[in-house]
Amino acid sequence: DFRGSASNNAVTDAKIPFSAEDGTLYWSSGVGKGYSANAVSNPILVDNSLIVYAGAALVKIDKDTGAVLAEKNCDTPSLIASTTKIMTALVVVQRCDLDRRVRIPAEATGIEGSSMYLKAGEELTLRDLLYGMMLRSGNDAAVALALCTAGSLERFVGWMNETAQRMELRNTRFANPNGLDDENHYSTARDMAVLAAYAAEDPTFRRICSTRTATVGGRTMTNHNKLLTQVEGCIGMKTGYTRAAGRTLVSCAERQGRRLVAVTLCDGNDW
């Protein structure tokens, strides 16, 4: 990993990703109302992917050297809402046969928040549930995946935390598979960007999170991530919201041979 140093240059402009004539790569995101100082910074090179953290500040990086020219705080722990589901999906993709059919347990129905409206006893594949979780952000799908693969929420959350530890996500802890608010469930912009860059290397994960629409069990679902249609080269990732966490967004885009990941936490201007 490369972690550069940088000056704390003040930035007020906001731009989408582009490359200037001098070869310097830029990414920025606007300041959102109620932003909780989880601004993000510092690039890391992982498997030839250039990870860029962007929040309520501009992140400016020399794409050839990886040097950080401007940065702001990125290690403040925060609630992360449904961006949690990146880890949930990654654990399932890495451990399970996605074509295995499972019967939905009653405990996975009627979960609060966003839902794919699962019915107790219906049969779907793990792949179907992944689409329901990543496109419609189904909290019920996340619980169903956990119960049907690990046998219990506790064991599945253990898998999530083991994966985080293996990836050296030092300021991340999971308490559930869907991101509902819990004081023991948090991460940082830096950790989420590392997770997203790793997940983006998996072709199955990438295919699912970049899908715009899918039909599962008679349900037609549309991806909540507007950037799939608004940003050239966007391959998606995950949106999130709870009242306590605010709007959270992890995005990935590829341009000119470079892959960028942007993370905003508690940023009302995430799009």
Coordinates of all heavy atoms in Angstrom, one line a residue, residues 161-230:
N161 N -16.2 -9.4 10.3 CA -15.1 -8.8 11.0 C -13.7 -9.5 10.8 O -12.7 -8.9 10.8 CB -15.4 -8.8 12.5 CG -16.5 -7.8 12.8 OD1 -16.4 -6.6 12.4 ND2 -17.5 -8.1 13.6
E162 N -13.8 -10.8 10.6 CA -12.5 -11.5 10.2 C -12.0 -11.0 8.9 O -10.8 -10.8 8.7 CB -12.8 -13.0 10.1 CG -13.1 -13.7 11.4 CD -13.5 -15.2 11.2 OE1 -13.5 -15.7 10.1 OE2 -14.0 -15.8 12.2
T163 N -12.9 -10.8 7.9 CA -12.4 -10.3 6.6 C -11.9 -8.9 6.8 O -10.8 -8.5 6.2 CB -13.6 -10.3 5.6 OG1 -14.1 -11.6 5.5 CG2 -13.1 -9.8 4.2
A164 N -12.5 -8.0 7.6 CA -12.0 -6.7 7.8 C -10.6 -6.7 8.5 O -9.7 -5.9 8.1 CB -13.0 -5.9 8.7
Q165 N -10.5 -7.6 9.4 CA -9.2 -7.8 10.1 C -8.1 -8.2 9.1 O -7.0 -7.7 9.1 CB -9.3 -8.7 11.2 CG -8.0 -8.8 12.1 CD -8.2 -9.7 13.3 OE1 -9.1 -10.6 13.3 NE2 -7.4 -9.5 14.3
R166 N -8.4 -9.1 8.2 CA -7.5 -9.7 7.2 C -7.1 -8.5 6.3 O -6.0 -8.5 5.8 CB -8.2 -10.8 6.5 CG -7.2 -11.9 6.0 CD -7.9 -13.2 5.6 NE -9.1 -13.0 4.8 CZ -10.3 -13.4 5.1 NH1 -10.5 -14.0 6.3 NH2 -11.3 -13.2 4.3
M167 N -8.0 -7.6 6.0 CA -7.7 -6.5 5.1 C -7.1 -5.4 5.8 O -6.8 -4.3 5.1 CB -9.0 -6.1 4.4 CG -9.6 -7.1 3.5 SD -11.3 -6.6 2.8 CE -10.8 -5.2 1.9
E168 N -6.9 -5.5 7.1 CA -6.3 -4.4 7.9 C -7.1 -3.1 7.9 O -6.6 -2.0 7.8 CB -4.8 -4.1 7.5 CG -3.9 -5.3 7.6 CD -2.5 -5.0 7.3 OE1 -2.2 -3.9 6.9 OE2 -1.6 -5.9 7.5
L169 N -8.4 -3.3 8.0 CA -9.3 -2.2 8.1 C -9.3 -1.8 9.6 O -10.1 -2.4 10.4 CB -10.7 -2.5 7.6 CG -10.8 -3.0 6.2 CD1 -12.2 -3.2 5.7 CD2 -10.1 -2.1 5.2
R170 N -8.4 -1.0 10.0 CA -8.1 -0.8 11.4 C -9.2 -0.1 12.2 O -9.2 -0.2 13.5 CB -6.8 0.0 11.6 CG -5.6 -0.7 10.9 CD -4.3 0.1 11.1 NE -3.2 -0.5 10.3 CZ -2.9 -0.2 9.1 NH1 -3.5 0.7 8.5 NH2 -1.8 -0.8 8.5
N171 N -10.1 0.7 11.6 CA -11.1 1.5 12.3 C -12.5 1.0 11.8 O -13.4 1.9 11.7 CB -10.9 3.0 12.0 CG -9.6 3.5 12.5 OD1 -9.3 3.4 13.7 ND2 -8.7 3.9 11.7
T172 N -12.7 -0.3 11.6 CA -13.9 -0.8 11.1 C -14.4 -1.9 12.0 O -13.6 -2.8 12.4 CB -13.8 -1.3 9.7 OG1 -13.5 -0.2 8.8 CG2 -15.1 -2.0 9.2
R173 N -15.7 -1.9 12.3 CA -16.3 -3.0 13.1 C -17.7 -3.2 12.6 O -18.5 -2.2 12.4 CB -16.3 -2.7 14.6 CG -16.8 -3.8 15.5 CD -16.7 -3.5 16.9 NE -17.2 -4.6 17.8 CZ -17.2 -4.6 19.1 NH1 -16.7 -3.5 19.7 NH2 -17.7 -5.6 19.8
F174 N -18.1 -4.4 12.5 CA -19.5 -4.7 12.0 C -20.3 -5.4 13.1 O -19.8 -6.2 13.9 CB -19.5 -5.6 10.8 CG -18.8 -5.0 9.6 CD1 -17.5 -5.4 9.2 CD2 -19.4 -4.0 8.8 CE1 -16.9 -4.8 8.1 CE2 -18.8 -3.5 7.8 CZ -17.5 -3.8 7.4
A175 N -21.6 -5.0 13.2 CA -22.5 -5.6 14.2 C -23.7 -6.3 13.5 O -24.4 -7.0 14.2 CB -23.0 -4.6 15.2
N176 N -23.9 -6.0 12.2 CA -25.0 -6.6 11.5 C -24.6 -6.6 10.0 O -23.7 -6.0 9.6 CB -26.3 -5.9 11.8 CG -26.2 -4.4 11.4 OD1 -26.0 -4.1 10.2 ND2 -26.3 -3.5 12.4
P177 N -25.4 -7.4 9.2 CA -25.1 -7.4 7.8 C -25.7 -6.4 6.9 O -25.4 -6.3 5.7 CB -25.6 -8.8 7.4 CG -26.8 -9.0 8.3 CD -26.4 -8.3 9.6
N178 N -26.6 -5.5 7.5 CA -27.3 -4.5 6.6 C -27.0 -3.1 6.9 O -27.4 -2.2 6.1 CB -28.8 -4.8 6.7 CG -29.3 -4.9 8.1 OD1 -28.8 -4.3 9.0 ND2 -30.3 -5.7 8.3
G179 N -26.3 -2.8 8.0 CA -25.9 -1.4 8.3 C -26.9 -0.6 9.1 O -26.7 0.6 9.2
L180 N -27.9 -1.2 9.7 CA -28.8 -0.5 10.6 C -28.0 0.0 11.8 O -27.0 -0.6 12.2 CB -29.9 -1.4 11.0 CG -30.9 -1.8 9.9 CD1 -32.0 -2.7 10.5 CD2 -31.6 -0.5 9.4
D181 N -28.4 1.1 12.3 CA -27.6 1.9 13.3 C -27.3 1.0 14.5 O -28.2 0.4 15.1 CB -28.3 3.2 13.7 CG -28.4 4.1 12.5 OD1 -27.6 4.1 11.6 OD2 -29.4 4.9 12.6
D182 N -26.0 1.0 14.9 CA -25.6 0.3 16.1 C -24.3 1.0 16.5 O -23.4 1.2 15.7 CB -25.4 -1.2 15.8 CG -25.1 -2.0 17.1 OD1 -24.1 -1.7 17.7 OD2 -25.9 -2.9 17.3
E183 N -24.1 1.2 17.8 CA -22.9 1.9 18.3 C -21.6 1.1 18.1 O -20.5 1.6 18.0 CB -23.0 2.3 19.8 CG -23.1 1.1 20.7 CD -23.3 1.5 22.2 OE1 -23.4 2.7 22.4 OE2 -23.3 0.6 23.0
N184 N -21.8 -0.2 17.9 CA -20.7 -1.1 17.6 C -20.5 -1.4 16.1 O -19.8 -2.4 15.8 CB -20.8 -2.4 18.4 CG -20.7 -2.2 19.9 OD1 -19.8 -1.5 20.3 ND2 -21.6 -2.7 20.6
H185 N -21.1 -0.6 15.3 CA -21.0 -0.8 13.8 C -20.6 0.5 13.2 O -21.3 1.5 13.2 CB -22.5 -1.1 13.3 CG -22.5 -1.6 11.9 ND1 -22.6 -3.0 11.6 CD2 -22.4 -1.0 10.7 CE1 -22.6 -3.1 10.3 NE2 -22.5 -1.9 9.7
Y186 N -19.4 0.5 12.7 CA -18.8 1.8 12.2 C -17.6 1.5 11.2 O -17.1 0.4 11.2 CB -18.3 2.7 13.3 CG -17.4 2.0 14.3 CD1 -16.0 1.9 14.0 CD2 -17.9 1.4 15.4 CE1 -15.2 1.2 14.9 CE2 -17.0 0.7 16.3 CZ -15.7 0.7 16.0 OH -14.8 0.0 16.9
S187 N -17.2 2.5 10.5 CA -16.0 2.5 9.7 C -15.5 3.9 9.4 O -16.1 4.9 10.0 CB -16.3 1.7 8.4 OG -15.1 1.5 7.7
T188 N -14.6 4.0 8.5 CA -14.0 5.3 8.1 C -14.0 5.4 6.6 O -14.1 4.4 5.9 CB -12.6 5.6 8.6 OG1 -11.7 4.6 8.0 CG2 -12.5 5.4 10.2
A189 N -13.9 6.6 6.1 CA -13.8 6.8 4.6 C -12.6 6.0 4.1 O -12.7 5.4 3.0 CB -13.7 8.3 4.3
R190 N -11.5 6.1 4.8 CA -10.3 5.4 4.3 C -10.5 3.8 4.2 O -10.3 3.2 3.2 CB -9.1 5.6 5.2 CG -7.8 5.0 4.7 CD -6.7 5.0 5.8 NE -6.4 6.3 6.3 CZ -5.5 7.1 5.7 NH1 -4.9 6.7 4.6 NH2 -5.2 8.3 6.2
D191 N -11.1 3.3 5.3 CA -11.3 1.8 5.3 C -12.3 1.4 4.3 O -12.2 0.4 3.6 CB -11.8 1.4 6.7 CG -10.7 1.3 7.7 OD1 -9.5 1.6 7.4 OD2 -11.0 0.9 8.9
M192 N -13.4 2.2 4.1 CA -14.4 1.9 3.1 C -13.8 1.9 1.7 O -14.2 1.1 0.8 CB -15.6 2.8 3.3 CG -16.4 2.5 4.5 SD -17.0 0.8 4.7 CE -18.1 0.7 3.4
A193 N -12.9 2.8 1.5 CA -12.3 2.9 0.1 C -11.4 1.7 -0.1 O -11.4 1.2 -1.3 CB -11.5 4.2 0.0
V194 N -10.7 1.3 0.9 CA -9.8 0.1 0.7 C -10.7 -1.1 0.4 O -10.5 -1.9 -0.5 CB -9.0 -0.1 2.0 CG1 -8.3 -1.5 1.9 CG2 -8.0 1.0 2.1
L195 N -11.8 -1.3 1.2 CA -12.8 -2.4 1.0 C -13.3 -2.3 -0.4 O -13.4 -3.3 -1.1 CB -13.9 -2.3 2.0 CG -15.1 -3.2 1.8 CD1 -14.7 -4.6 1.9 CD2 -16.2 -2.9 2.9
A196 N -13.8 -1.1 -0.9 CA -14.4 -1.0 -2.2 C -13.4 -1.4 -3.3 O -13.8 -2.0 -4.3 CB -14.9 0.4 -2.4
A197 N -12.2 -0.9 -3.2 CA -11.2 -1.2 -4.2 C -10.9 -2.7 -4.3 O -10.8 -3.3 -5.4 CB -9.9 -0.5 -3.9
Y198 N -10.9 -3.4 -3.1 CA -10.7 -4.8 -3.1 C -11.9 -5.5 -3.7 O -11.7 -6.4 -4.6 CB -10.5 -5.3 -1.7 CG -10.2 -6.8 -1.5 CD1 -8.9 -7.3 -1.6 CD2 -11.3 -7.6 -1.3 CE1 -8.7 -8.6 -1.5 CE2 -11.1 -9.0 -1.2 CZ -9.8 -9.5 -1.3 OH -9.6 -10.9 -1.1
A199 N -13.1 -5.1 -3.4 CA -14.3 -5.7 -3.9 C -14.4 -5.6 -5.4 O -14.9 -6.5 -6.1 CB -15.5 -5.2 -3.2
A200 N -14.0 -4.4 -5.9 CA -14.1 -4.1 -7.3 C -13.2 -5.0 -8.2 O -13.4 -5.1 -9.4 CB -13.7 -2.6 -7.6
E201 N -12.3 -5.7 -7.6 CA -11.4 -6.6 -8.3 C -12.1 -7.9 -8.6 O -11.7 -8.7 -9.5 CB -10.1 -6.9 -7.5 CG -9.2 -5.7 -7.4 CD -8.7 -5.2 -8.8 OE1 -8.3 -6.1 -9.6 OE2 -8.8 -4.0 -9.1
D202 N -13.2 -8.2 -7.9 CA -14.0 -9.5 -8.1 C -15.0 -9.3 -9.2 O -15.9 -8.4 -9.1 CB -14.7 -9.9 -6.8 CG -15.3 -11.2 -6.9 OD1 -16.3 -11.4 -7.6 OD2 -14.8 -12.2 -6.3
P203 N -14.9 -10.0 -10.3 CA -15.8 -9.8 -11.5 C -17.2 -10.0 -11.2 O -18.1 -9.3 -11.7 CB -15.2 -10.8 -12.5 CG -14.4 -11.8 -11.8 CD -13.9 -11.1 -10.6
T204 N -17.5 -11.0 -10.3 CA -18.9 -11.3 -9.9 C -19.5 -10.1 -9.1 O -20.6 -9.6 -9.4 CB -19.0 -12.6 -9.1 OG1 -18.6 -13.7 -9.9 CG2 -20.5 -12.8 -8.7
F205 N -18.8 -9.7 -8.1 CA -19.2 -8.5 -7.4 C -19.4 -7.3 -8.3 O -20.4 -6.6 -8.2 CB -18.2 -8.2 -6.3 CG -18.6 -7.0 -5.5 CD1 -19.3 -7.1 -4.3 CD2 -18.2 -5.7 -5.9 CE1 -19.7 -5.9 -3.6 CE2 -18.5 -4.6 -5.2 CZ -19.3 -4.7 -4.0
R206 N -18.4 -7.0 -9.1 CA -18.5 -5.9 -10.0 C -19.7 -6.0 -10.9 O -20.4 -5.0 -11.2 CB -17.2 -5.8 -10.8 CG -16.9 -4.5 -11.5 CD -15.5 -4.4 -12.0 NE -15.2 -5.4 -12.9 CZ -14.2 -6.3 -12.7 NH1 -13.6 -6.4 -11.6 NH2 -13.9 -7.2 -13.7
R207 N -20.0 -7.2 -11.4 CA -21.2 -7.3 -12.3 C -22.5 -7.0 -11.6 O -23.4 -6.4 -12.2 CB -21.2 -8.8 -12.9 CG -22.3 -9.0 -13.9 CD -22.2 -10.5 -14.4 NE -20.9 -10.9 -14.8 CZ -20.1 -11.8 -14.2 NH1 -20.6 -12.4 -13.1 NH2 -18.9 -12.1 -14.6
I208 N -22.6 -7.5 -10.4 CA -23.8 -7.3 -9.6 C -24.0 -5.8 -9.3 O -25.1 -5.2 -9.5 CB -23.8 -8.1 -8.3 CG1 -23.9 -9.6 -8.7 CG2 -25.0 -7.7 -7.4 CD1 -23.7 -10.5 -7.5
C209 N -23.0 -5.1 -8.8 CA -23.2 -3.8 -8.3 C -23.3 -2.8 -9.5 O -23.8 -1.6 -9.3 CB -22.1 -3.3 -7.3 SG -20.5 -3.0 -8.1
S210 N -22.9 -3.2 -10.7 CA -23.0 -2.3 -11.8 C -24.3 -2.5 -12.6 O -24.6 -1.8 -13.6 CB -21.8 -2.5 -12.8 OG -21.8 -3.8 -13.3
T211 N -25.1 -3.5 -12.2 CA -26.4 -3.9 -12.9 C -27.4 -2.8 -12.6 O -27.6 -2.4 -11.5 CB -26.9 -5.2 -12.5 OG1 -26.0 -6.2 -12.8 CG2 -28.3 -5.5 -13.1
R212 N -28.0 -2.3 -13.7 CA -29.0 -1.2 -13.5 C -30.4 -1.7 -13.1 O -31.1 -1.1 -12.3 CB -29.1 -0.3 -14.8 CG -27.8 0.4 -15.1 CD -27.9 1.3 -16.3 NE -26.6 1.9 -16.6 CZ -26.5 2.7 -17.6 NH1 -27.5 3.1 -18.4 NH2 -25.3 3.2 -17.9
T213 N -30.8 -2.8 -13.8 CA -32.1 -3.4 -13.4 C -32.0 -4.9 -13.4 O -31.2 -5.5 -14.2 CB -33.2 -3.0 -14.4 OG1 -32.9 -3.4 -15.7 CG2 -33.4 -1.5 -14.4
A214 N -32.8 -5.6 -12.6 CA -32.8 -7.0 -12.6 C -34.2 -7.5 -12.1 O -34.9 -6.8 -11.4 CB -31.7 -7.6 -11.6
T215 N -34.6 -8.7 -12.6 CA -35.8 -9.3 -12.2 C -35.6 -10.5 -11.4 O -34.9 -11.4 -11.8 CB -36.7 -9.6 -13.4 OG1 -37.0 -8.5 -14.2 CG2 -38.0 -10.3 -12.9
V216 N -36.1 -10.5 -10.1 CA -35.8 -11.6 -9.2 C -37.1 -12.1 -8.6 O -37.8 -11.3 -8.0 CB -34.8 -11.2 -8.1 CG1 -34.8 -12.3 -7.0 CG2 -33.5 -10.9 -8.7
G217 N -37.5 -13.3 -8.8 CA -38.7 -13.8 -8.2 C -40.0 -13.0 -8.5 O -40.8 -12.8 -7.6
G218 N -40.1 -12.5 -9.7 CA -41.2 -11.7 -10.1 C -41.1 -10.2 -9.7 O -42.0 -9.4 -10.1
R219 N -40.0 -9.9 -9.1 CA -39.7 -8.5 -8.7 C -38.8 -7.8 -9.7 O -37.7 -8.3 -9.9 CB -39.1 -8.4 -7.3 CG -39.8 -9.1 -6.2 CD -38.9 -9.3 -5.0 NE -39.5 -9.9 -3.9 CZ -39.5 -11.3 -3.7 NH1 -38.9 -12.0 -4.6 NH2 -40.1 -11.8 -2.7
T220 N -39.1 -6.7 -10.3 CA -38.2 -5.9 -11.1 C -37.6 -4.8 -10.2 O -38.3 -4.0 -9.7 CB -38.9 -5.3 -12.3 OG1 -39.4 -6.4 -13.1 CG2 -37.9 -4.5 -13.2
M221 N -36.3 -4.9 -10.1 CA -35.6 -4.0 -9.2 C -34.7 -3.0 -10.0 O -34.0 -3.5 -11.0 CB -34.8 -4.8 -8.2 CG -35.6 -5.7 -7.4 SD -34.7 -6.7 -6.2 CE -33.8 -7.7 -7.4
T222 N -34.6 -1.8 -9.6 CA -33.7 -0.8 -10.2 C -32.6 -0.4 -9.2 O -32.9 -0.2 -8.0 CB -34.5 0.5 -10.6 OG1 -35.5 0.1 -11.6 CG2 -33.6 1.5 -11.3
N223 N -31.4 -0.3 -9.7 CA -30.3 0.1 -8.8 C -30.5 1.5 -8.3 O -30.8 2.4 -9.1 CB -29.0 0.0 -9.6 CG -27.8 -0.1 -8.7 OD1 -27.7 0.6 -7.7 ND2 -26.9 -1.0 -9.1
H224 N -30.3 1.7 -7.0 CA -30.5 3.0 -6.4 C -29.3 4.0 -6.7 O -29.4 5.2 -6.5 CB -30.5 2.9 -4.8 CG -31.8 2.3 -4.3 ND1 -32.0 2.1 -3.0 CD2 -32.9 1.8 -4.9 CE1 -33.2 1.6 -2.8 NE2 -33.7 1.4 -4.0
N225 N -28.3 3.5 -7.3 CA -27.1 4.3 -7.6 C -27.3 5.1 -8.9 O -27.1 4.6 -10.0 CB -25.8 3.4 -7.6 CG -24.6 4.3 -7.6 OD1 -24.5 5.5 -7.9 ND2 -23.5 3.6 -7.1
K226 N -27.6 6.4 -8.7 CA -27.8 7.3 -9.9 C -26.6 7.5 -10.7 O -26.6 7.9 -11.9 CB -28.3 8.6 -9.4 CG -29.7 8.6 -8.7 CD -30.1 10.0 -8.2 CE -31.4 10.0 -7.4 NZ -31.8 11.3 -7.0
L227 N -25.4 7.3 -10.1 CA -24.2 7.6 -10.8 C -23.9 6.6 -12.0 O -23.1 6.9 -12.9 CB -23.0 7.6 -9.9 CG -22.9 8.6 -8.7 CD1 -21.7 8.5 -7.9 CD2 -23.1 10.0 -9.3
L228 N -24.6 5.5 -12.0 CA -24.5 4.6 -13.1 C -24.9 5.2 -14.4 O -24.4 4.8 -15.5 CB -25.3 3.3 -12.8 CG -24.7 2.4 -11.8 CD1 -25.7 1.3 -11.4 CD2 -23.4 1.7 -12.3
T229 N -25.8 6.2 -14.3 CA -26.3 6.8 -15.5 C -25.7 8.3 -15.6 O -25.9 8.9 -16.7 CB -27.8 6.9 -15.6 OG1 -28.3 7.5 -14.4 CG2 -28.4 5.5 -15.6
Q230 N -25.1 8.8 -14.6 CA -24.7 10.2 -14.6 C -23.2 10.3 -14.8 O -22.8 11.4 -15.2 CB -25.1 10.8 -13.2 CG -26.6 11.0 -13.0 CD -26.9 11.6 -11.7 OE1 -26.0 11.8 -10.8 NE2 -28.2 11.9 -11.5

